[in-house]
Amino acid sequence: SAERERSGALAKSTVEQVLARVLAEYRKRLDPAARELIVRRAGSDTAILGSEVEKLCLLVGERTTIAEADVRLSFPDLAESWVFDLTAALAARDGAKALPVLRSLFTQGEPPLRLV
């Protein structure tokens, strides 16, 4: 019974509830940029979202704050918003932004033909 957007994606309030529950359990915080990125990448399944946030909490180890770089490193784009990140970087001819997104997609197992 998760609240959803018209597109079927999880509503921001639902994502925030999942984040609050998992982050409290692991005693972690998100920096604002990391939170924004997770909200964009949240997708439509609360169980998968919760699982990915738990993995993220484990990834940072003893650190209490999760940074945007941590999210980019290990949190898959469940909403496939990567296309906007990648196309924006390519349109701006910003290889420094496009390359990490591309690497992340390959690491996540994204088929190269789909990226073309």
Side-chain angles (χ1 to χ4, degrees), residues 2 5 8 11 13 18 20 30 32 40 44 93 108:
E5 301 291 335
S13 60
V18 172
L30 287 170
R40 279 199 351 242
S44 60
R93 297 179 184 258
Q108 293 174 31

Side-chain angles (χ1 to χ4, degrees), residues 2-73:
E3 187 179 337
R4 298 181 182 281
E5 301 291 335
R6 291 180 64 188
S7 66
L10 295 173
K12 184 176 181 178
S13 60
T14 302
V15 174
E16 291 291 349
Q17 289 172 357
V18 172
L19 287 174
R21 178 184 53 81
V22 176
L23 293 172
E25 180 181 336
Y26 286 89
R27 295 185 179 117
K28 303 290 184 192
R29 296 180 316 129
L30 287 170
D31 74 20
R35 181 175 299 276
E36 179 182 325
L37 189 55
I38 288 174
V39 168
R40 279 199 351 242
R41 292 182 171 191
S44 60
D45 188 315
T46 55
I48 293 173
L49 174 61
S51 176
E52 292 301 328
V53 175
E54 286 180 6
K55 289 181 201 175
L56 190 57
C57 289
L58 295 171
L59 171 80
V60 299
E62 296 298 316
R63 283 190 290 134
T64 58
T65 302
I66 298 170
E68 179 183 11
D70 300 319
V71 175
R72 289 197 183 279
L73 176 68

